[in-house]
Amino acid sequence: MKLEADPTVQYAIGFNILQQTWWTNPLNLLDLQLNSPYNTYIYEGLPPAPIANPGLSALRAVAFPAETTYYFFRAKCNDSGLHEFAETFEEHLQNACQ
């Protein structure tokens, strides 16, 4: 299945000259169509290589993953920087911003 993760698109976009940042905000539908092997909205599975240099906590999370029933996540709609998690695709759709 497609990962559909915004950070992979951010990596594919690279530095945003207009915004003077490595993190385009907000992403738009055209960004999500960028033809890059790193764009997980287009290509299934993981990107061909790492998209960042992970810190120790990320390495520990991979070595000792949390056991959950979640398959989906997306940013909350309140600009808190937090995420909503869902077990089913239907729940994931319900977490969409209106």
Side-chain angles (χ1 to χ4, degrees):
M1 71 187 226
K2 293 178 185 168
L3 185 61
E4 296 185 347
D6 290 359
T8 64
V9 175
Q10 295 282 5
Y11 183 82
I13 291 171
F15 188 76
N16 183 318
I17 296 172
L18 295 176
Q19 294 181 6
Q20 292 294 300
T21 181
W22 288 97
W23 196 260
T24 297
N25 187 19
L27 288 175
N28 60 49
L29 292 177
L30 193 58
D31 294 327
L32 301 181
Q33 297 170 12
L34 178 68
N35 187 11
S36 166
Y38 290 91
N39 185 347
T40 58
Y41 280 86
I42 296 176
Y43 296 100
E44 293 182 359
L46 297 173
I51 63 169
N53 186 10
L56 183 57
S57 62
L59 295 172
R60 285 187 176 137
V62 169
F64 309 102
E67 291 187 28
T68 74
T69 56
Y70 300 125
Y71 282 99
F72 306 94
F73 75 97
R74 66 177 359 134
K76 286 189 174 189
C77 302
N78 60 7
D79 294 324
S80 67
L82 301 175
H83 292 84
E84 298 276 6
F85 296 87
E87 294 180 352
T88 67
F89 186 64
E90 290 75 25
E91 290 173 350
H92 178 63
L93 292 176
Q94 290 174 2
N95 288 337
C97 300
Q98 302 299 327

